[in-house]
């Protein structure tokens, strides 16, 4: 993104420079390994209740909740409640880093944050910065990969069937089977990025992909 826009404050979870997912902050947001936290990070280095971020006045403040391995902000250990600044890097585990994105700042651009992004080698998919879990099926990924290669282009049904059902005789794949595959893929994308259809049917021709 190249300009400021109003947004809720975010926490963006990154590993090795790649976004894993992001969360909008509430007035109080708890972070830890236990499922009763607002931000759940299933990493053995993370304590069950590791850290808390709370709105105090007009600032968000982070504090350690008695974690075993500590909370570090920009490389310094947090020993008392610390106000956060836009872009602060919060380290909770060796491979887990959270980035605080203030509501008045420009969010850093991570895979998928502006729409849908895929990583072809690992078949990982991000929608608006959040990774799809569980992963897409082979047929769904192949379909999405083809549509994403040329957003806005209308792909014929025959082209999509040949890619999504590469291990089958195309003559045996019905239009209903392709329609069902498209619906399932669209539901997966919309479940993370609601408010946009992503895959559009073009009557009499096929389907096209549109980024938000």
């Amino acid at each position: 993104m190249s300009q400021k826009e109003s947004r809720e404050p975010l926490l963006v979870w990154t590993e090795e420079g790649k976004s894993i997912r992001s969360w909008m902050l509430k007035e109080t947001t708890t972070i830890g390994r236990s499922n009763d936290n607002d931000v759940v990070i299933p990493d053995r280095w993370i304590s069950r209740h590791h850290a808390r971020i709370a709105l105090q006045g007009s600032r968000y403040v982070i504090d350690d909740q008695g974690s075993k391995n500590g909370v570090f902000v920009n490389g310094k250990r947090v020993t008392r409640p610390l106000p956060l600044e836009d872009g602060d890097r919060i380290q909770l585990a060796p491979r887990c880093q959270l980035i605080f994105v203030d509501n008045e700042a420009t969010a850093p651009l991570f895979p998928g944050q502006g729409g849908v992004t895929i990583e072809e080698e690992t078949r990982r998919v991000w929608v608006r910065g959040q990774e799809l879990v569980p992963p897409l099926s082979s047929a769904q990924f192949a379909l999405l990969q083809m549509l994403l290669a040329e957003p806005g282009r209308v792909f014929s049904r025959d082209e999509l069937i040949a890619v999504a059902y590469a291990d089958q005789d195309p003559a045996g794949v019905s239009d209903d089977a392709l329609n069902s595959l498209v619906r399932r893929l669209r539901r997966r994308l919309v479940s993370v990025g609601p408010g946009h259809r992503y895959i559009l049917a073009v009557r009499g021709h096929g389907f096209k992909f549109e980024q938000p």
Side-chain angles (χ1 to χ4, degrees):
M1 299 182 183
S2 59
Q3 62 183 18
K4 291 186 178 181
E5 57 184 61
S6 178
R7 69 174 83 243
E8 295 294 328
L10 292 174
L11 273 186
V12 181
W13 175 13
T14 69
E15 285 187 6
E16 299 176 354
K18 295 178 181 178
S19 172
I20 304 300
R21 64 170 298 179
S22 61
W23 298 266
M24 288 186 180
L25 291 178
K26 303 187 297 183
E27 286 194 10
T28 299
T29 301
T30 58
I31 307 167
R33 194 177 71 249
S34 176
N35 287 332
D36 62 357
N37 287 285
D38 300 303
V39 175
V40 179
I41 303 176
D43 187 305
R44 65 184 181 88
W45 291 87
I46 303 293
S47 296
R48 290 177 58 82
H49 300 95
H50 200 109
R52 180 182 64 180
I53 297 177
L55 183 63
Q56 295 185 5
S58 61
R59 303 282 299 278
Y60 278 88
V61 173
I62 187 170
D63 63 343
D64 193 328
Q65 296 294 287
S67 67
K68 181 178 178 180
N69 294 307
V71 176
F72 297 81
V73 174
N74 301 328
K76 296 182 179 180
R77 186 159 190 164
V78 174
T79 58
R80 60 174 62 90
L82 177 72
L84 290 169
E85 302 285 349
D86 176 58
D88 277 349
R89 298 177 181 271
I90 304 163
Q91 198 81 35
L92 304 178
R95 296 179 62 235
C96 175
Q97 178 175 256
L98 301 172
I99 298 179
F100 173 72
V101 181
D102 199 356
N103 61 333
E104 294 300 329
T106 301
L109 186 62
F110 294 105
Q113 196 165 6
V116 178
T117 299
I118 65 174
E119 190 174 85
E120 296 184 4
E121 292 184 3
T122 61
R123 294 193 173 188
R124 297 169 71 185
V125 178
W126 290 268
V127 182
R128 297 183 179 178
Q130 182 172 330
E131 186 172 4
L132 285 185
V133 179
L136 297 178
S137 68
S138 296
Q140 290 172 344
F141 185 86
L143 182 66
L144 179 61
Q145 184 178 27
M146 186 174 200
L147 291 168
L148 268 178
E150 297 182 63
R153 176 192 161 185
V154 179
F155 288 87
S156 71
R157 290 177 171 271
D158 289 343
E159 288 177 304
L160 296 173
I161 287 173
V163 167
Y165 299 94
D167 58 345
Q168 300 182 36
D169 179 358
V173 180
S174 67
D175 282 351
D176 285 344
L178 179 62
N179 291 341
S180 178
L181 179 64
V182 169
R183 284 196 299 271
R184 292 196 301 271
L185 174 57
R186 185 189 288 127
R187 281 199 298 267
R188 290 298 310 279
L189 300 176
V190 170
S191 69
V192 179
H196 189 74
R197 287 182 60 80
Y198 296 99
I199 303 173
L200 305 180
V202 180
R203 188 180 297 275
H205 296 280
F207 295 92
K208 66 178 181 177
F209 187 91
E210 288 189 355
Q211 293 277 25

